[in-house]
Structure formats: C-alpha cells, structure tokens
Amino acid sequence: MICCKECLDLLSDYLDGELDPQTSSSLEEHFQDCPPCIAFLNTFKTSTNLCRETIRKVEIPEVVQVKLKEFVTQNARKKG
Ligand SMILES: [Zn+2]
C-alpha cells in the first residue's frame, strides 16, 4: 500500500497515463480509502485542464501569425 506522499508524487504521471498498471492500481486503491487524496486529485485534474485550455486559447492562429509577420516586416522596412 502506498502512502499519501507517494500518491501525490505519482499523481501527475498517473494522469498522463505514464504509470505501469500495477502502480496505477495501487494508486486507485489508495484513492478509494483516502478522501483527501481524491479531493487533491480532483483539484489537480481541474487545474491541469484549465491550464491546457488556457494554453490552447492563447495559441496564436496562423492567420494572425502571418499578419503579424507582415506587420513586423513592413515596419522594419519603413524604419530601415
Ligand atoms: Zn492519501
């Protein structure tokens, strides 16, 4: 049986699906008996998803990238 600390250490690998099946299942076993770790898991999941969503939103669309390059090139020409 793994302890809470180990559980938290493994959490990010667990969510990324990078743990071996045995470790995953001991982690899941721990979650069943440990409400604080479940709460942490949920918070972690939510914030990770939020992060990913934000990154996706901030990503610059290709059209904007092209316009931006044009703008920079034109400005550079004017100045140079
Ligand atoms: Zn725990």
Side-chain angles (χ1 to χ4, degrees):
M1 197 64 167
I2 55 176
C3 69
C4 286
K5 197 197 165 295
E6 279 173 305
C7 185
L8 300 182
D9 283 346
L10 294 168
L11 201 60
S12 113
D13 286 343
Y14 170 71
L15 290 175
D16 287 342
E18 281 170 11
L19 291 180
D20 57 275
Q22 212 190 329
T23 315
S24 294
S25 58
S26 3
L27 206 63
E28 276 154 13
E29 239 171 69
H30 180 96
F31 286 138
Q32 280 169 15
D33 296 328
C34 190
C37 278
I38 297 172
F40 187 83
L41 172 74
N42 288 333
T43 313
F44 192 92
K45 259 190 197 164
T46 314
S47 50
T48 309
N49 285 344
L50 269 182
C51 265
R52 285 190 184 146
E53 235 168 74
T54 311
I55 288 168
R56 219 180 293 139
K57 276 181 197 155
V58 173
E59 201 178 316
I60 304 173
E62 211 186 315
V63 185
V64 180
Q65 282 186 36
V66 172
K67 285 279 163 205
L68 203 63
K69 262 182 212 160
E70 270 175 25
F71 179 79
V72 172
T73 317
Q74 278 172 9
N75 259 17
R77 246 185 246 141
K78 271 180 210 161
K79 275 176 194 165

